[in-house]
Amino acid sequence: MEATIIGRDAEIERLSALVAQAPGGGRVLLLAGAAGAGKSTLLDDAARRAERAGHRVLRATGRESETDLAFAGLHQLLRPVLGEAAGLPDRQRRALLGAFGFEPAPDPPDLLLTGIAVVTLLSQATGRSPVLVVVDDAQWIDSASADVLSFVARRLDDDPVTLLLAVRDGDPRLDRAYPVLTLAPLDAVASKRLLALKGVTGRIRDRILDQAAGNPLALLELASAATSGAPDDHGPLPVGERLAGLYAARLRDLPEAGRRALLLLAAADVEDPPAAVQELLPDPDDDVWTAVEQTGLTRRAGRHTRFRHPLIRSAVYHAAPSGARMEAHRLLAGALRDEPDRHAWHLAAATARPDAAVSAALEESAGRARRRGGYAAAAKALARAAELHPERDESVRLLIAAAGTAVLTGHLDWVEELAGAARARTDDPAVRALADVHVGRLAALTRRHTAAFARLAGIAEDLAATQPATALHALTAAAVLRFYAGEEAQRERIDRILRRLPVGPQEEPLRDWITVVSDPFGGGREVAPRLPELIAAAGRDPERLAALAMAAWILDETRLAVRAFDEAVQSWLARGPLPDGLGGVVALAYLEYGRWEQAREVCAGIGALAAAAGLDHAAACAHAIDAMVLAYQGDAAQARALAEEALRLVDPLESRSVAVYAHRATAAAAMAEGDYELAYEQYRMLFDPSGDPVHYHASYPALPELAAAAARSGRHADAIEIVERSARALAQGGSTRLHALIHRGRALLADPGQAEAHFRAALADPGLEGRPFEHAQALLEYAEWLRRRRRIAEARPFLGAAEAIFRRLGARPWTERARAELRAAGLDVGPADRGAFAELSPQQQQIVRLAARGLSNREIGERLFLSPRTVGSHLYRAFPKLGVTARSQLRDVVEAAQG
C-alpha cells in the first residue's frame, strides 16, 4: 500500500507531467529542499509512476562516505545497464569501464569521453522504453560523477530520458545548472493534516507545529515520540541535534549485537554492502534484525537492511562512543582490503595518531583518483594524508599537493584553507611561496586581480635569486593576471623580474610563455616562428599543448592554436571542469576558427561551474564570449543580456579583457540590428580618449568593425585617428593578421581612390581563411565597395563567397546583408528562407555535413558529444527541410550550399 503524500499536490503534478512527457525528449529537474522536506518520498512516487508506465528506472543515492570515491555514484547508477556497455564504441567502452576500474583507464583520464559513453549507453537503453534517472542526495555524489551527469544532462535533448535529482539546500554544484523545484515547508493546513493522520491533536499538536516549522520528517518523528511517551512540558521539543537524540533513545533498547550491526552499517555507508562487509554482520535471518526493524530506524530491502533516512545513519553513528566508531572502521578496513580506496579511508577513520603507513595509503588513493579525473577526491585524500603523517616536512608537502589539486575543483576557499595550513607548518619561504602561488592561480578567476598580481609578483621578486623555479611559477600565474587586467604597469614589473631570473634551457619555455602572454607585440613576437617546433615537441602532453596553443592564439596563429587545442582539449578538460589560467582562450580560438557551437560548449562548461564556485571573472569571461557568438548569429537580445551580466560580474579596471569582449558583443549586436550609432559608441569604448587600446590584446581585433560603424554613422575623423594610432603602435610587433585588420579599417574610411589597395591588402592575409567570419566580412566589404563603383561583375564572386561562408557559420544578419547585395548585383538568390541548408541550426548543419561525408550516427555523436539518437532525430527533422530522402543525397546538398 502506497503512503499518502500530504501537502505536495503541485510538486506531484509537476513530476508526473515531467515523467509522462519523457518520450518527447530529455528533461532535467532538480528537487531541492532541507533534510526531511520529502524529496526522497517524491522521488519514490515518481519512480513508481514511471515503472507503472513501462519506463526503465535507474537509481542512485549519494552517500557521504563515497564523496571522495571518484565515479562511485555513476557506478551505482549504471550498474543495472553495465552489461550493455559491450555495445559501446571501443574508446567509449574503455573510458567508461576504466573509470570504474574494470579495465585500465586511459592515460590521461578522459572525462569527456566517459560522459559521451554514458550518453550513448543511456540512449541505447531507451531502445526498449523511456528511461528515468533518479539520483537522491545528489549533494553527496562524488564530483567526478556529478560532472558526468551535468555533461549528460545537456546532451539528451532528443532521447526519452528524464533526470530527477534531489539535493539538500545550499549545494553549490548543481542548483544553478538545472531547473529547480524547491520544496518549501508544509503550510499549517498540510502540517495539521499530516499530524491528524498520526492521531496527534490538542496542545501537543501545537507544540509540534511550532517546533517542526513545516518539515515533514520533523513532524512525523516528533509525533512518533509524542505518542510513544509523555513529553516534557518544559522547554522546546527536541529538534535538530536533539532530534538525533530521539534515534539514540531507540538504540538503547536494542541488544548489543543490534547496536553493533547498525554502527557497522552506518560506518560502511553502502546501500548494498559487499560480501566482505556482510560477513561482519549478523546473518540476515538472525532475530537481531527483527529487533532492529521494530525500532523504526531501518527498513528491509530483500536481504539487506537500510536506514530510513540519512539523519538516522548520522544519529546512529554519532551516538556511538568514538572508540566504538574507530573499531567499526578498523573492522571495515580489514574486510575491504581488496578495495584499496575504501580500505584507505576506513584506516584513516580508525586512526587517532599520526601514522605514516595510513598516510601513504591515502596518498596512493589520491593518485588513483587523479588518474580517473576525480580531483576533489584526490585533494581530500591528500589533505587527510597530511594530517596523519608524523613528519612535518612530509605533511607540508602533502598539503601543498592538496592545494594544487584543489585548484582544479574551482573552490577558492578550500585552496586558501589548504594553503594556509601548509604555511602554518613551515618557515621555508619557497614552500610558503608555492602555497601562495596555488591560491593566486585560482584567485585569477575572481575579481581580485590587482591584489593577486601584487602577491604573485612579490613572491617572484623575493625568490628570483634563491628559488628561480618557484619564482618562474609565480610569474606564470602573474602573467595570466596581466592578461586579464590589461594593466601596463604590470607588464613593466614582469619585465623587470624576468631580467633578474636566470636564462637556461630549462627556464626558457616558461620565460617565453610569460613574455608572449604579457607582451605579445614586444618580445613575445619573437616566439612565433618557433611555435610549430615547440608544439611538435610537446607530444601528447595536454598541459604543454594547451599552454602552447594559448600562446599561438595570442600571437594570432589561429590555425596552429586550434590544431594544438584539438589534440589537447579533451585531455585538458579531464583535469577538471574548470580551466586553469587562460581557459577562455579555447572558446575564443574556436570562435575565430568558425567552430561556434564548440565555442559555446566551452563557455557553458566554464560558466556553469564558475558561477557555482563564485569565480566571477571566469563566469564573466564565459558570458562575454558566448555573447559574441550570439551577436554574430543574430540573437541580439540574448547577446546584450549576457554581455550586461558579464560587466556586472567584474570591475572593468580589474578585468579589462572581459570588459572589452562584452562591449564587442554589444557592439556586434547593434551592428546586426543596423544601429550603427550605438555600435560605434560601444566599439569606441575599446579605446581610451587618446585612442590607445583599453586592453593591449583584446581591443585591436575590433578595429575594422569600429571603422565600419564609423563610416555608417559619420564618425570618420575620430575613427581614422584610432586606426592610424594603432597602426603606428603595431608597426614593428603586430601580427600579419593585425596588419590586415588595419588595412580593412583604412579601406572602410579611405577616400575612394585609396580604398582598393587596402581592401586587397586585407584579403592577402595568408591566415584569413582560418578565421572565416573575418574572411567573409572582408569579402563582403570589398564587394560592397566594388558594387557601389558599378563594378558589378567583379563584385559578384566576392559576394557569393561571403554569403556562402556566412550561411555556413549561421551568421544570419550578415547572410541577409550578403544576399541583399547579391540581389542588388543582379543575381536571383531568392528570399533568405529559400536556402534550406542555411535555415538549419548550426548544430544541424554540422550533423548534415558529417553525415554527407559518410559518418554513422554513432561516429557523428562521438565527434559532437551527442547521443546517436539525438543525431538521428536531427537528421530526421532535417531531411524534409532539405528535400531529401536518403543520406546519399546529402553530399549534393552540402556542396550546393557551399557554392
Side-chain angles (χ1 to χ4, degrees), residues 333-354:
L336 294 169
R337 292 183 184 277
D338 293 335
E339 297 187 37
D341 294 327
R342 286 193 171 94
H343 172 73
W345 278 104
H346 283 299
L347 273 180
T351 304
R353 295 187 176 90

Side-chain angles (χ1 to χ4, degrees), residues 268-291:
D269 192 29
V270 286
E271 192 162 89
D272 298 323
V277 174
Q278 291 283 4
E279 290 178 4
L280 300 175
L281 301 171
D283 186 83
D285 296 323
D286 194 299
D287 289 343
V288 72
W289 293 115
T290 301

Side-chain angles (χ1 to χ4, degrees), residues 574-782:
R575 291 168 58 89
L578 188 71
D580 181 23
L582 299 178
V585 170
V586 183
L588 287 164
Y590 285 157
L591 168 60
E592 290 177 5
Y593 202 60
R595 297 183 182 177
W596 290 358
E597 289 305 311
Q598 280 182 271
R600 296 201 68 198
E601 286 284 343
V602 172
C603 289
I606 296 171
L609 191 74
L615 301 175
D616 289 342
H617 174 87
C621 185
H623 289 329
I625 299 168
D626 202 15
M628 291 170 68
V629 180
L630 289 168
Y632 296 157
Q633 291 176 329
D635 190 346
Q638 184 62 16
R640 277 192 294 271
L642 280 176
E644 289 169 4
E645 176 64 10
L647 291 170
R648 186 189 67 78
L649 288 170
V650 298
D651 178 342
L653 296 181
E654 294 262 341
S655 299
R656 289 179 178 86
S657 59
V658 166
V660 166
Y661 295 133
H663 288 305
R664 283 173 61 178
T666 305
M671 291 284 278
E673 293 180 327
D675 189 343
Y676 300 109
E677 286 280 351
L678 176 59
Y680 187 77
E681 289 175 10
Q682 291 294 313
Y683 282 126
R684 186 61 182 83
M685 294 178 74
L686 310 186
F687 298 85
D688 67 19
S690 66
D692 289 329
V694 167
H695 188 274
Y696 66 95
H697 186 273
S699 293
Y700 286 130
L703 282 169
E705 283 91 347
L706 177 140
R712 291 171 180 262
S713 61
R715 308 288 187 90
H716 285 71
D718 185 43
I720 288 171
E721 173 59 28
I722 293 173
V723 171
E724 294 308 318
R725 193 177 185 92
S726 299
R728 291 191 294 272
L730 296 169
Q732 298 301 317
S735 64
T736 302
R737 176 203 184 191
L738 290 177
H739 291 155
L741 293 177
I742 287 170
H743 279 299
R744 264 182 67 199
R746 284 170 165 168
L748 292 164
L749 297 168
D751 294 333
Q754 300 175 319
E756 186 164 17
H758 290 300
F759 277 126
R760 289 193 172 276
L763 287 167
D765 174 9
L768 194 56
E769 291 186 359
R771 294 181 291 274
F773 188 64
E774 283 182 17
H775 186 197
Q777 286 177 303
L779 290 168
L780 177 60
E781 289 160 358
Y782 183 35

